[in-house]
């Protein structure tokens, strides 16, 4: 059974229609990437999946359960975590507090503390700055923190919205390595990226979205060979 | 030890300023907490403070009439605080639910108008309680009263403390006792108010900094969407914020009743604006700032009486409000981020 099924979802912002019948499937254990130009609706899909915006039509199923009418704080309890576009760490909280916020749905304190220690092994820079306000972190460090915070919810499905935005090539590599590592631990990933090349390197499959509609999908290798993808998203003539 | 008359008067005013400052600080916390989570000024907050005072008076009046206030004054006062607190809290939660939540996405002006409406409705509701009771009791079937006489007089007696246009009076339970420190008389009532306020504020600070609900409140005040992605129930957290902020106002209402004895349905207006000034002075949205602002305003106000005619006392607060907004809109401890939202 698919882990996530998005069925003919339509979403609007007031009168502005952003999604016109999006359908996609994510199987357990996959990394699936979502490719599209600015304004195509990538962020809207992720927000609709995690309940921040309600679709006017269509259904979202997670492990067979219908999430469509649930509020975001219930959806995260079901096992979906989002790393939002532009990071959105709590800048007036310390790094440690941000990680604890990530574990807000959990109650087992020793397990949470142990997970935070694991995070600090994965991201030693965060450990050095654990008592520092997150607003003082660099962009790359904030992105690490946003991913780490999402991991603290112990999600089965991790949604990432442009995790490499504004990062140097070296940091970009380490973010993608981190995503691969997270996936190896058994967490399914739905990845939105402007950096099509890098995301097709780590993804199993991908969907291409144009003005609120999925136009096609294929394996990562298939997408890399596709003429339209090459021209539009990889910049290869 | 003898002090010069000037210093003596100064110390007396200092104690006075701490007492008044405690009221301002307790009420200011409600403004600042609500501003934190909703970025709006709850202009009904002064009236929630008033409801707390009336709920307290109602309780202490009943406890007095059954003689309990005499036999066990400490417990009676504790119960009075609890009821005043709870009455204010439930009022605050109700105001948010009915007046603010429906217009939360409708912009600042809608929220402001709704807040002013809530303020008027609260005052008039409390004012009309005895009238409404009388109207219900006067229902007649033919020439007979619908309700038996004993029931009528009992209910009227119950309602008489609650509301009405005239000022109502708390029993003078705090008394005039006290002690003398360095030649300055300090009443037990003032000690109770200042110490209790400081304990409550410390408890609030610890709650906000170190508990799960406190962390949820801070997350909601920073970013509602991201907080909900963490699993925080945003609406419930906002209700909790109103509950706690209103509880503090309710405690202040009971304190004011016990200390000044007289309460009125419009008693929330001036302390409300002064507490708002305190919150702005400390940096609206900032909890330690509201406490600091409250005490500073209380002290400045009583000290101003030393140099200015007493009629200018209220003017001082407004001058501080205006100067703060012009020259230091972030307040003393405020966060720069809040300014952009104003
Ligand atoms: N809050 C909003 N109010 C109104 N329209 C919006 C809002 N957010 C997005 N839109 C519109 O919805 C469409 C899809 O936006 P979305 O943010 O999902 O695009 P995106 O694919 O994530 O783009 P980008 O790559 O720039 O992040 C766009 O046309 C956008 O203008
Ligand atoms: Mg986007």
């Amino acid at each position: 059974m698919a882990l996530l099924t998005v069925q003919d979802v339509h979403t609007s912002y007031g009168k502005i229609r952003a999604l016109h019948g999006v359908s996609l499937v994510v199987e357990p254990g996959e990394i699936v990437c979502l490719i599209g130009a600015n304004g195509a609706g990538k962020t809207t899909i992720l927000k609709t999946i995690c309940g921040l915006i309600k679709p006017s039509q269509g259904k979202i199923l997670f492990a067979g359960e219908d999430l469509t009418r649930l509020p975001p704080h219930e959806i995260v309890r079901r096992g979906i975590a989002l790393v939002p576009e532009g990071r959105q760490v709590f800048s007036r909280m310390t790094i440690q507090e941000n990680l604890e916020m990530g574990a807000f749905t959990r109650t087992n304190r020793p397990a949470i503390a142990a997970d935070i220690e694991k995070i600090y092994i994965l991201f030693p820079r965060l450990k050095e700055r654990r008592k520092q306000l997150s607003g003082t972190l660099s962009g790359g460090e904030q992105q690490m923190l946003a991913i780490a915070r999402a991991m603290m919810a112990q999600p089965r499905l991790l949604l990432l919205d442009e995790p490499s935005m504004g990062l140097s090539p070296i940091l970009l590599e380490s973010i993608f390595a981190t995503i691969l590592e997270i996936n190896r631990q058994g967490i399914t990933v739905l990845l939105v990226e402007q950096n099509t090349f890098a995301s097709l390197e780590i993804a199993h499959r991908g969907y291409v979205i144009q003005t609120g509609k999925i136009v096609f999908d294929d394996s990562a290798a298939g997408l890399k060979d596709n003429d339209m993808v090459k021209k539009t998203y990889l910049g290869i003539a | 030890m003898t002090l010069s008359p000037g210093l003596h008067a100064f110390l007396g005013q200092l104690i006075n300023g701490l007492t008044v400052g405690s009221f301002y600080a307790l009420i200011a916390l409600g403004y600042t907490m609500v501003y934190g989570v909703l970025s709006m000024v709850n202009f009904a907050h002064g009236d929630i403070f008033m409801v707390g005072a009336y709920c307290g008076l109602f309780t202490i009046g009943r406890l007095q009439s059954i003689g309990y206030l005499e036999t066990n004054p400490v417990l009676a006062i504790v119960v009075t605080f609890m009821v005043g607190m709870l009455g204010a809290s439930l009022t605050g939660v109700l105001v948010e639910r009915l007046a603010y939540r429906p217009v939360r996405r409708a912009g600042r002006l809608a929220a402001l108008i709704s807040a002013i409406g809530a303020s008027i409705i609260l005052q008039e509701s409390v004012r009309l309680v005895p009238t409404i009771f009388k109207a219900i009791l006067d229902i007649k079937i033919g020439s007979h009263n619908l309700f038996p006489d004993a029931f009528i007089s009992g209910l009227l007696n119950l309602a008489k403390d609650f509301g009405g246009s005239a000022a109502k009076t708390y029993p003078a339970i705090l008394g005039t006792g006290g002690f003398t420190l360095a030649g300055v008389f300090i009443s037990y009532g003032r000690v109770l108010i200042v110490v209790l306020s400081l304990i409550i504020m410390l408890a609030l600070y610890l709650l906000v900094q170190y508990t799960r609900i406190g962390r949820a409140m801070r997350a909601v005040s920073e970013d509602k969407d991201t907080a909900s992605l963490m699993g925080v129930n945003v609406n419930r957290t906002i209700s909790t914020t109103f509950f706690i902020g209103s509880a503090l106002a309710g405690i202040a209402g009971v304190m004011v009743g016990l200390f000044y004895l007289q309460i009125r349905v419009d008693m929330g207006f001036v302390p409300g604006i002064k507490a708002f000034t305190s919150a702005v002075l400390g940096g609206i949205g900032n909890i330690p700032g509201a406490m600091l602002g409250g005490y500073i305003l209380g002290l400045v106000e009583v000290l101003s009486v030393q140099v200015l005619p007493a009629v200018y006392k209220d003017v001082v607060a407004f001058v501080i409000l205006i100067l703060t907004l012009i020259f230091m809109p972030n307040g003393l401890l405020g966060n720069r981020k809040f300014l952009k939202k104003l």
Side-chain angles (χ1 to χ4, degrees):
Chain A
M1 186 178 55
L3 184 62
L4 177 77
T5 310
V6 175
Q7 261 173 24
D8 188 34
V9 161
H10 295 247
T11 304
S12 312
Y13 297 96
K15 286 198 172 62
I16 302 163
R17 297 181 55 194
L19 301 182
H20 314 268
V22 166
S23 299
L24 58 84
V25 171
V26 181
E27 301 291 340
E30 278 189 311
I31 299 180
V32 172
C33 72
L34 198 56
I35 300 165
N38 291 118
K42 306 179 296 293
T43 298
T44 307
I45 292 180
L46 298 189
K47 283 187 171 176
T48 311
I49 292 169
C50 56
L52 287 174
I53 321 171
K54 290 294 157 195
S56 53
Q57 192 185 317
K59 246 189 190 169
I60 291 157
L61 302 172
F62 183 67
E65 186 189 2
D66 188 350
L67 301 183
T68 322
R69 298 285 144 227
L70 292 181
H73 64 265
E74 287 295 336
I75 290 175
V76 63
R77 277 169 207 279
R78 303 296 193 279
I80 301 182
L82 170 70
V83 179
E85 194 173 12
R87 298 151 199 148
Q88 313 298 348
V89 298
F90 295 109
S91 58
R92 290 197 299 268
M93 292 188 191
T94 64
I95 282 121
Q96 177 90 13
E97 287 176 324
N98 265 276
L99 294 174
E100 285 168 3
M101 273 316 294
F104 193 79
T105 53
R106 298 167 57 189
T107 47
N108 184 343
R109 300 220 116 258
I112 294 172
D115 281 358
I116 289 180
E117 286 312 315
K118 273 190 217 152
I119 297 267
Y120 285 149
I121 292 170
L122 204 57
F123 303 106
R125 292 159 82 86
L126 295 182
K127 181 168 192 171
E128 290 162 31
R129 294 164 174 74
R130 62 201 296 167
K131 294 260 152 46
Q132 201 171 313
L133 291 184
S134 315
T136 64
L137 292 178
S138 76
E141 290 163 345
Q142 288 190 17
Q143 189 63 65
M144 297 288 182
L145 178 59
I147 295 174
R149 184 182 64 181
M151 293 301 295
M152 288 301 298
Q154 291 185 319
R156 292 162 71 191
L157 173 65
L158 183 65
L159 311 177
L160 292 149
D161 197 348
E162 306 206 17
S164 77
M165 193 165 54
L167 301 188
S168 70
I170 292 176
L171 267 180
L172 187 141
E173 217 170 279
S174 94
I175 291 272
F176 277 86
T178 306
I179 296 169
L180 263 182
E181 173 56 31
I182 287 169
N183 181 249
R184 272 198 208 103
Q185 292 172 13
I187 295 166
T188 309
V189 174
L190 178 56
L191 171 67
V192 163
E193 257 297 332
Q194 292 285 340
N195 192 325
T196 312
F197 188 79
S199 48
L200 287 178
E201 285 294 303
I202 63 165
H204 302 105
R205 291 191 302 119
Y207 288 84
V208 177
I209 177 170
Q210 271 172 13
T211 55
K213 270 206 172 96
I214 301 286
V215 287
F216 59 87
D217 67 280
D218 203 342
S219 67
L223 286 171
K224 271 188 274 189
D225 270 348
N226 183 290
D227 282 342
M228 195 274 256
V229 173
K230 272 188 190 164
K231 218 168 91 193
T232 318
Y233 304 107
L234 293 172
I236 306 167
Chain B
M1 192 168 70
T2 50
L3 298 170
S4 73
L7 188 59
H8 192 262
F10 176 80
L11 286 178
Q13 290 302 334
L14 207 64
I15 308 287
N16 191 10
L18 287 178
T19 314
V20 182
S22 296
F23 298 142
Y24 295 161
L26 282 177
I27 307 171
L29 284 164
Y31 280 107
T32 239
M33 289 167 75
V34 165
Y35 190 88
V37 294
L38 287 185
S39 305
M40 69 164 285
V41 179
N42 177 12
F43 277 110
H45 192 59
D47 304 291
I48 289 167
F49 154 80
M50 175 273 295
V51 169
Y54 274 92
C55 291
L57 175 63
F58 179 77
T59 310
I60 205 166
R62 304 285 70 71
L63 292 173
Q64 188 179 33
S65 69
I66 61 171
Y68 199 74
L69 187 59
E70 258 78 302
T71 53
N72 203 338
V74 174
L75 204 60
I77 289 181
V78 171
V79 172
T80 302
F81 270 113
M82 297 298 249
V83 177
M85 206 164 95
L86 208 64
S89 290
L90 296 179
T91 307
V93 169
L94 211 65
V95 164
E96 188 274 326
R97 192 73 191 76
L98 298 179
Y100 301 155
R101 195 174 300 182
V103 297
R104 202 183 292 163
R105 289 179 198 284
R108 248 155 239 293
L109 196 59
L112 178 69
I113 292 168
S114 201
I116 293 170
S119 162
I120 294 171
I121 288 173
L122 284 180
Q123 272 188 45
E124 293 310 309
S125 308
V126 174
R127 189 196 305 283
L128 289 175
V129 166
T131 316
I132 292 168
F133 264 87
K134 271 209 189 69
I136 294 172
L137 299 172
D138 276 348
I139 297 173
K140 285 186 171 44
I141 300 177
S143 59
H144 293 284
N145 281 337
L146 178 59
F147 300 105
D149 284 352
F151 181 73
I152 292 177
S153 62
L155 266 189
L156 272 183
N157 193 37
L158 270 185
K160 84 173 173 3
D161 279 349
F162 206 98
S165 294
K168 294 283 147 80
T169 314
Y170 265 66
I173 182 81
L174 290 186
T176 50
F179 58 94
T180 307
L181 191 71
V184 181
F185 178 75
I186 301 171
S187 75
Y188 292 132
R190 289 186 191 279
V191 175
L192 172 78
I193 285 165
V194 175
V195 171
L196 186 60
S197 301
L198 290 174
I199 290 172
I200 288 165
M201 286 186 260
L202 179 68
L204 177 75
Y205 183 77
L206 296 176
L207 176 103
V208 170
Q209 283 303 318
Y210 299 111
T211 66
R212 189 179 145 82
I213 179 67
R215 213 175 285 133
M217 284 163 60
R218 285 189 289 146
V220 167
S221 84
E222 203 166 325
D223 182 343
K224 289 185 191 49
D225 277 356
T226 306
S228 72
L229 289 175
M230 304 294 115
V232 175
N233 184 336
V234 172
N235 279 335
R236 198 196 295 157
T237 306
I238 289 172
S239 290
T240 309
T241 306
F242 271 83
F243 190 94
I244 296 171
S246 304
L248 301 182
I251 290 173
V254 173
M255 281 181 180
V256 163
L258 290 171
F259 189 73
Y260 294 112
L261 304 182
Q262 289 234 320
I263 64 171
R264 301 169 54 92
V265 293
D266 57 4
M267 68 187 276
F269 184 66
V270 172
I273 286 185
K274 290 185 180 171
F276 174 64
T277 303
S278 311
V280 172
L281 178 62
I284 193 145
N286 183 301
I287 284 178
M291 305 178 191
L292 184 68
Y295 282 106
I296 290 179
L297 185 64
L299 289 171
V300 169
E301 206 177 86
V302 296
L303 295 180
S304 74
V305 179
Q306 302 286 78
V307 289
L308 291 171
V311 288
Y312 286 111
K313 198 183 79 181
D314 288 350
V315 177
V316 170
F318 295 109
V319 171
I320 290 180
L321 178 60
I322 291 164
L323 292 180
T324 309
L325 286 174
I326 294 174
F327 294 109
M328 200 179 46
N330 293 317
L332 293 167
L333 306 180
N335 191 300
R336 207 153 283 276
K337 259 190 150 173
F338 282 111
L339 179 62
K340 278 191 236 126
K341 289 201 208 154
L342 249 171

